[in-house]
Amino acid sequence: MNTTQPQSPSLSKAVMVFSGGQDSTTCLIQALTQYDEVHAITFNYGQRHIHEIDIARMLASKLGATSHKVMDVSLLNELAISALTRDSIPVSTELMDNGLPNTFVPGRNILFLTLAGIYAYQLGAEAVITGVCETDYSGYPDCRNDFVKALESALVQGMDRPLRLVTPLMWLNKAETWALADKYGKLELVRDQTLTCYNGIEGRGCGECPACKLRQHGLDEYLANKEVVAQQLAAKSPTA
């Protein structure tokens, strides 16, 4: 008599770097359909608008993340001087002398993705998901695909364990990102309940800062050309 019990398939697990903004919320919505467990992690680095952490908590619970960890990384604030870490520095649409916007926080994604990778190691997760994007990025060097691939290689070598850094939005523009949210029936939630605005206004935002303008331009483009944009999304992300 064979008493061997059938092996249960292993659970697929992912860690979601989650800010509560449009991009990471859209990625979380998608990830929840692709993995058995999605563990959200939000970083408190003394950012300009601490309210985004409350938004992240609310959305992680509402959308059904397996768990949600908020990690204190305030040391980043001590090192990185930016309009997003100093209330005394107004958000500017002009580039600094180094060619970067003054909302760039140097080292932010290096730190966030490294810590998320360590967390994934502890959870036995196979992937870390981040909403960075090279197509509609704001000039941030740590949102580029080459950076993500380089860090992925470093994490795999440094921890001697397979790990993927997954970037579902890397080659999508903002209109296509809205189409992705709409595909999962969550466009209104992303529009009304996320926080992307550099001035800390939930939902549609202030309408004046660079983040709000980019977000609204993408939404207007999607709503005006839904079928075309949906086709573009399908061509870029056939498994989305």
Side-chain angles (χ1 to χ4, degrees):
M1 180 177 179
N2 186 356
T3 59
T4 302
Q5 296 297 316
Q7 294 294 314
S8 298
S10 58
L11 293 176
S12 60
K13 299 180 185 179
V15 170
M16 178 74 233
V17 179
F18 189 54
S19 71
Q22 175 191 2
D23 293 342
S24 65
T25 300
T26 301
C27 288
L28 176 59
I29 289 166
Q30 181 185 51
L32 288 166
T33 71
Q34 297 175 328
Y35 296 87
D36 298 311
E37 295 182 6
V38 181
H39 300 266
I41 185 168
T42 299
F43 296 101
N44 180 355
Y45 60 99
Q47 51 265 61
R48 186 184 188 99
H49 300 295
I50 205 72
H51 181 49
E52 75 175 34
I53 295 176
D54 297 326
I55 296 291
R57 282 195 178 102
M58 180 273 292
L59 287 171
S61 175
K62 185 170 188 172
L63 291 170
T66 306
S67 69
H68 182 215
K69 176 186 287 292
V70 177
M71 180 170 288
D72 181 0
V73 290
S74 52
L75 77 165
L76 179 62
N77 192 290
E78 298 178 27
L79 298 172
I81 298 174
S82 160
L84 295 190
T85 61
R86 300 290 188 276
D87 290 339
S88 59
I89 302 176
V91 174
S92 173
T93 58
E94 302 296 325
L95 298 180
M96 298 185 294
D97 292 341
N98 60 6
L100 298 174
N102 76 343
T103 50
F104 173 60
V105 182
R108 180 171 60 173
N109 282 337
I110 298 172
L111 179 63
F112 288 2
L113 291 173
T114 299
L115 292 174
I118 297 169
Y119 187 41
Y121 184 102
Q122 300 302 325
L123 292 172
E126 64 203 59
V128 170
I129 305 169
T130 173
V132 299
C133 169
E134 186 166 322
T135 305
D136 266 346
Y137 80 138
S138 300
Y140 300 160
D142 60 357
C143 288
R144 296 178 298 191
N145 189 60
D146 286 350
F147 157 73
V148 174
K149 293 304 180 187
L151 187 58
E152 179 185 78
S153 177
L155 289 170
V156 169
Q157 293 180 58
M159 295 192 292
D160 195 21
R161 180 180 179 277
L163 179 71
R164 292 180 297 118
L165 297 185
V166 181
T167 55
L169 309 184
M170 181 58 74
W171 306 116
L172 303 188
N173 60 35
K174 271 292 180 285
E176 292 158 354
T177 300
W178 282 111
L180 185 60
D182 200 16
K183 177 176 180 177
Y184 291 103
K186 300 293 185 182
L187 186 147
E188 289 77 14
L189 179 144
V190 173
R191 183 192 64 199
D192 299 334
Q193 298 183 41
T194 60
L195 197 162
T196 304
C197 176
Y198 288 153
N199 289 311
I201 300 174
E202 184 180 346
R204 296 174 186 268
C206 69
E208 298 299 325
C209 73
C212 283
K213 289 180 178 179
L214 181 63
R215 172 178 161 132
Q216 188 61 48
H217 177 76
L219 180 58
D220 291 343
E221 181 182 347
Y222 172 59
L223 294 178
N225 305 279
K226 277 192 172 185
E227 290 188 8
V228 172
V229 176
Q231 290 172 0
Q232 293 170 351
L233 172 65
K236 291 182 178 181
S237 304
T239 61

